[in-house]
Amino acid sequence: MDVDPQFFPEGVDLERPNAARIYDWALGGTANWAVDREFGEQLVKAFPLIRALARANRAFLGRAVRHCAEHGVTQFLDLGSGVPTVGNVHEIAGEIDAESRCVYVDNEPVAVAHARILLEKSGDPARHAVIGADLRDADDVWERAFDTGVLDPAKPVALLTVAVLHFVPNPGLAPAIARYRRLLPAGSFYVLSHVTMSGVEGSELEQIQRVVKQYEQSSTPASFRDKEEILGFFGEFDLVAPGLVPVGAWRLDDPRSPTLNCAIGGVARKPGF
C-alpha cells in the first residue's frame, strides 16, 4: 500500500525513487511508493544482502546513540535522519535518560512530514523537533536547530550522519562537516556510517558496484568514498574503540551476526571536555 496522501508534501518527486524512502522499504517500513519498492526489488537482485545491511546499519545507530547517552551526552542532532521507523534516536536515548533531546534534519519532504507527525504523537514536543534543511549548509542547520529551543548550545551534542553522506555529492561536503565539528561544543560526539568499496573484495565488491550504478537512476545518486576519505570526516576528534570498522563489528551485541565490509562506521569525541 502506498503512503497516505497526507504525506504528499509539496516538492516530493513521485517519478523517481528516493534514498530515504528506499531505506524505509529495506527496513520493512510503509512510508514509500511503488517506485521505491520496485527500485528496492532491483537492489535485492543486485545485492541480495541489502536488507541485512540496512538492519545492521540501524543496529549500529542504536548502539552508537546508547554509547553517547551513557557517556553523558543526551542532546542529539540527527542529519539525514530519513523516514522515522522502529528504534528512532529519541526513543533509544530516552531509554537511557528520560530528559534526552533530539532534533531531526532531512531534506526529503516525506521524511520530514512523517517525523513531524511522529513527534506530535510523542506527547512531549518540547524535547524533540524536526526541520527540513540541506545538511551541507551547516550554519543554517545549526541556527535553525537551536532556534527550536530543544537543544542547549552550552552543552555537548551528539551529531549523527548515519547512512546519509554517501548520498551527498562531494562539492562542499567536507567543509560542511568540518564546520559542524567547529560548532560542536567540547565533549560532543560525532557518529558516522558510510558505504565504501575499501577493503571489499570478490562478489561483495561486484554487488556494490552494481548498486552504485543502479542508484544513478534515482533522485539520490550514491558516492561510495574510500575509507581514508571517510576517516577524514572525523577530523581532529578522538575515535573511540574499536575505531572506524564495519558497522556490524562496532561494539556488536551478538558476535555471531554476519559482518559486511561495505558499510563502515565509527564514533569520535571532540577533545577538551
Side-chain angles (χ1 to χ4, degrees), residues 4 35 39-40 53 105 133 140 154 167 177 200 211 218 222 226 229:
D4 190 286
V35 66
F39 187 92
L53 183 61
V105 181
D140 176 64
F167 294 117
I177 299 301
V200 182
V211 167
S218 76
D226 62 38
E229 187 175 1

Side-chain angles (χ1 to χ4, degrees), residues 39-40 42-43 46 209-218:
F39 187 92
Q42 292 300 314
L43 276 180
Q209 289 171 332
R210 290 199 294 268
V211 167
V212 172
K213 275 192 161 299
Q214 189 171 337
Y215 265 103
E216 291 173 358
Q217 306 167 31
S218 76

Side-chain angles (χ1 to χ4, degrees), residues 138-256:
D139 288 302
D140 176 64
V141 169
W142 194 262
E143 180 179 357
R144 291 175 60 193
F146 282 90
D147 280 349
T148 64
V150 169
L151 305 179
D152 182 346
K155 296 180 179 179
V157 176
L159 178 73
L160 315 175
T161 59
V162 175
V164 62
L165 296 188
H166 43 255
F167 294 117
V168 182
N170 269 321
L173 179 58
I177 299 301
R179 178 61 176 159
Y180 284 114
R181 292 199 308 269
R182 289 193 295 274
L183 289 168
L184 286 168
S188 295
F189 283 103
Y190 178 32
V191 178
L192 160 70
S193 74
H194 200 297
V195 177
T196 185
M197 294 185 192
S198 295
V200 182
E201 300 176 344
S203 62
E204 188 179 347
L205 176 59
E206 294 171 5
Q207 291 172 11
I208 285 296
Q209 289 171 332
R210 290 199 294 268
V211 167
V212 172
K213 275 192 161 299
Q214 189 171 337
Y215 265 103
E216 291 173 358
Q217 306 167 31
S218 76
S219 62
T220 43
S223 302
F224 290 4
R225 300 172 177 88
D226 62 38
K227 185 174 182 178
E228 286 306 309
E229 187 175 1
I230 297 167
L231 189 62
F233 289 129
F234 288 108
E236 73 287 359
F237 284 24
D238 298 321
L239 273 168
V240 303
L244 184 60
V245 298
V247 291
W250 195 89
R251 305 201 172 196
L252 187 61
D253 298 327
D254 184 356
R256 296 170 297 176

Side-chain angles (χ1 to χ4, degrees), residues 76-101:
F76 297 84
L77 181 57
D78 188 359
L79 307 182
S81 52
V83 177
T85 186
V86 176
N88 295 297
V89 171
H90 74 279
E91 295 170 333
I92 298 167
E95 294 172 0
I96 308 298
D97 188 325
E99 296 303 313
S100 61
R101 295 167 175 266

Side-chain angles (χ1 to χ4, degrees), residues 42-162:
Q42 292 300 314
L43 276 180
V44 171
K45 292 177 182 178
F47 187 21
L49 292 175
I50 190 71
R51 283 186 134 154
L53 183 61
R55 289 192 296 270
N57 190 79
R58 193 69 180 180
F60 162 76
L61 170 66
R63 296 194 299 275
V65 168
R66 289 187 188 94
H67 175 86
C68 295
E70 288 169 353
H71 286 77
V73 176
T74 55
Q75 300 193 121
F76 297 84
L77 181 57
D78 188 359
L79 307 182
S81 52
V83 177
T85 186
V86 176
N88 295 297
V89 171
H90 74 279
E91 295 170 333
I92 298 167
E95 294 172 0
I96 308 298
D97 188 325
E99 296 303 313
S100 61
R101 295 167 175 266
C102 181
V103 173
Y104 294 103
V105 181
D106 208 288
N107 66 348
E108 211 289 320
V110 172
V112 174
H114 268 268
R116 283 181 176 148
I117 289 174
L118 173 72
L119 296 180
E120 285 172 4
K121 292 179 178 179
S122 72
D124 196 356
R127 288 180 41 240
H128 312 299
V130 58
I131 60 175
D134 187 333
L135 67 82
R136 288 172 295 182
D137 191 341
D139 288 302
D140 176 64
V141 169
W142 194 262
E143 180 179 357
R144 291 175 60 193
F146 282 90
D147 280 349
T148 64
V150 169
L151 305 179
D152 182 346
K155 296 180 179 179
V157 176
L159 178 73
L160 315 175
T161 59
V162 175

Side-chain angles (χ1 to χ4, degrees), residues 12-47:
V12 174
D13 185 348
L14 300 177
E15 301 298 323
R16 292 185 296 170
N18 175 272
R21 302 192 306 262
I22 296 164
Y23 189 51
D24 172 72
W25 167 86
L27 290 169
T30 58
N32 49 77
W33 279 280
V35 66
D36 305 304
R37 297 190 289 274
E38 290 167 8
F39 187 92
E41 295 297 343
Q42 292 300 314
L43 276 180
V44 171
K45 292 177 182 178
F47 187 21

